[in-house]
Amino acid sequence: MSDTNEIFDLGRQSLDAIEQRLDLSRREYLQFCATLAVTMGLPKGSEAAVAKAIATAQRPSVIWLHFQECTGCSESLLRAEHPTLEKLILDVISLDYHETLMAAAGHQAEAARKNAMKTHKGKYVLVVEGAIPVKDNGIYCKIGGHKAIDLVKECAADAAAVIAIGSCASWGGMPSTGPNPTGASSVAEVLGKPVVTIPGCPPNPYNFLATVVHFLTFGKLPEVDQLGRPKFAYSRLIHENCERRAHFDAGRFAMEFGDAGHRQGYCLYKLGCKGPETYANCPTIGFGDAGENNWPVGCGHPCIGCTEKGVGFTKPIHQVAKMLNVTPPLQYPRIVEEQGKGATFASAAALAALAGAAAGAAVMLTRNLGLSHAAEEAERAKAGSKPQDKAQV
Ligand code: FSX
Ligand code: SF4
Ligand code: F3S
């Protein structure tokens, strides 16, 4: 904590109140605020402003709508900890309407929504989870007798901010794939205006919470990219920050689930990892809380590109990714030295590196991967073996 003065400005009473309210020690609370400030990419010292905003600002009323989805976005929020995130979420916001969490049902639930919209007119945050079917006049999703398409328009009209949470609400997600029988559409498409999107199936709960806290702390939503995604979370390719990246650069790939390379944590590119064409902060801000470093690639599964329209649920999982942004690997000195015999990963990398000096890096990287694949095939043929179960370096 750098700006201790500002934090102590919060006053002992505020910190005591926070301790009681959240059932957290002040150390845990301040650590949590620092985590959120880091997630938002705020400069050093900003955690004080975050701590102050959460402790003192009025909780924004949130109306949370569910349409075509699996409720995984809500689950992702509620299954998080550090320390029990759901406690903090439910304290930072005033969740006035959420179909799967509220005790009210039927007419009472409808009344709660209407009441929140009236009481907090122009000030509430509308969160939409799930895609909105527009085909056949939107008849494929109704809640309380209202069509999703009408509900979202009605609730958005007086909202201070609209957040589309999850890939379904952000760009159509899973329900919009294939022939899209219901015309599943994004919130922005239905409202005809851009909204903040937090894609992911499910999305990272810290990205949602950081967006809300940004709104609380600075009175405005964070800066977004052309797809409405907060830049603090979605401006880097997964491939840029992946812990397996050194293996990619050195040409060490898992070739099959469960083979030696897979067991040793090698790069999952050849199993179809879409990290090279997917923007998200999954490698840096893990989530899921089934243990440290818990994110798809960390668990041994290739990224399917769930935050990226046109990648997740669209490209086959086994299809190798398009290299969007080729950074230094070809210019780096070789990490793996050639052992002297046959075509190895190292010799393939060396060939590609030489050729790379004369041609475009992206083209050469693709060739590099092809060469290393050819090298593996050649080695396999030489050894007369089936697909390898031994790590090759
Ligand atoms: Fe499910 Fe949310 Fe995926 Fe969609 O997440 S986790 S189908 S993004 O809307 O509930
Ligand atoms: Fe990580 Fe996937 Fe990139 Fe390999 S291809 S370094 S597993 S993001
Ligand atoms: Fe989704 Fe890939 Fe992250 S599958 S959760 S974008 S690692």
Side-chain angles (χ1 to χ4, degrees):
M1 292 292 148
S2 53
D3 202 342
T4 37
N5 284 340
E6 201 172 334
I7 287 169
F8 288 121
D9 272 358
L10 263 179
R12 188 163 292 278
Q13 275 187 339
S14 295
L15 284 171
D16 284 348
I18 272 279
E19 274 186 331
Q20 293 226 320
R21 216 172 90 191
L22 301 179
D23 193 21
L24 289 178
S25 73
R26 62 191 62 191
R27 177 181 289 272
E28 284 174 318
Y29 173 65
L30 295 175
Q31 276 173 345
F32 171 74
C33 294
T35 305
L36 281 182
V38 167
T39 306
M40 288 186 270
L42 296 176
K44 204 172 162 206
S46 313
E47 61 272 14
V50 171
K52 204 167 178 178
I54 296 177
T56 54
Q58 207 189 345
R59 299 185 301 159
S61 168
V62 170
I63 295 179
W64 189 299
L65 300 176
H66 288 260
F67 299 132
Q68 291 179 299
E69 40 86 17
C70 73
T71 310
C73 308
S74 295
E75 283 287 336
S76 164
L77 280 167
L78 301 177
R79 293 289 170 268
E81 40 185 62
H82 307 315
T84 53
L85 186 62
E86 101 277 3
K87 200 190 294 171
L88 287 150
I89 287 169
L90 297 178
D91 195 85
V92 170
I93 62 178
S94 169
L95 197 51
D96 292 331
Y97 180 87
H98 186 296
E99 284 142 23
T100 46
L101 294 180
M102 65 200 299
H107 294 298
Q108 285 177 328
E110 272 298 285
R113 179 175 67 81
K114 294 265 183 205
N115 191 31
M117 284 171 63
K118 197 168 146 202
T119 316
H120 305 287
K121 190 172 173 180
K123 291 192 200 130
Y124 62 85
V125 177
L126 174 66
V127 179
V128 183
E129 178 175 351
I132 300 145
V134 297
K135 200 167 169 192
D136 299 329
N137 210 16
I139 56 165
Y140 299 111
C141 180
K142 279 185 167 182
I143 291 123
H146 305 289
K147 287 186 289 190
I149 191 169
D150 296 333
L151 267 174
V152 73
K153 285 180 184 166
E154 182 194 343
C155 295
D158 289 323
V162 181
I163 299 175
I165 191 162
S167 301
C168 304
S170 299
W171 50 264
M174 168 88 88
S176 69
T177 56
N180 193 359
T182 64
S185 306
S186 70
V187 178
E189 282 167 329
V190 169
L191 295 181
K193 61 173 188 183
V195 300
V196 172
T197 62
I198 315 278
C201 189
N204 186 328
Y206 292 98
N207 294 342
F208 170 72
L209 191 60
T211 302
V212 173
V213 169
H214 190 286
F215 185 67
L216 264 186
T217 310
F218 305 107
K220 59 178 186 182
L221 288 164
E223 207 184 324
V224 296
D225 68 7
Q226 74 283 8
L227 300 174
R229 303 177 293 192
K231 284 188 181 171
F232 68 74
Y234 297 91
S235 59
R236 294 281 178 172
L237 286 169
I238 284 172
H239 189 58
E240 289 175 47
N241 289 316
C242 178
E243 65 246 26
R244 296 178 191 239
R245 177 60 186 266
H247 291 303
F248 176 92
D249 291 348
R252 291 190 291 259
F253 300 103
M255 302 302 292
E256 286 181 6
F257 285 101
D259 71 7
H262 191 236
R263 291 200 299 273
Q264 290 186 66
Y266 284 7
C267 170
L268 305 174
Y269 177 81
K270 292 190 177 183
L271 294 178
C273 180
K274 303 296 187 295
E277 55 179 327
T278 301
Y279 287 90
N281 59 352
C282 312
T284 44
I285 310 280
F287 63 106
D289 291 301
E292 192 44 52
N293 194 25
N294 195 31
W295 67 292
V297 172
C299 297
H301 196 283
C303 164
I304 65 160
C306 76
T307 59
E308 210 62 54
K309 184 175 184 178
V311 179
F313 311 114
T314 307
K315 291 195 171 177
I317 289 181
H318 58 269
Q319 186 180 316
V320 291
K322 193 169 140 196
M323 302 305 300
L324 287 191
N325 187 5
V326 180
T327 39
L330 289 177
Q331 286 75 36
Y332 280 2
R334 289 197 307 271
I335 298 169
V336 182
E337 280 308 318
E338 200 173 342
Q339 300 296 309
K341 275 189 227 144
T344 61
F345 281 130
S347 58
L351 276 172
L354 278 173
V363 175
M364 287 322 301
L365 183 64
T366 313
R367 200 175 293 172
N368 182 7
L369 293 164
L371 278 173
S372 68
H373 189 73
E376 290 154 34
E377 295 296 329
E379 289 203 342
R380 246 184 242 153
K382 218 196 283 171
S385 65
K386 294 197 297 277
Q388 79 204 52
D389 194 42
K390 247 195 210 166
Q392 289 191 12
V393 266

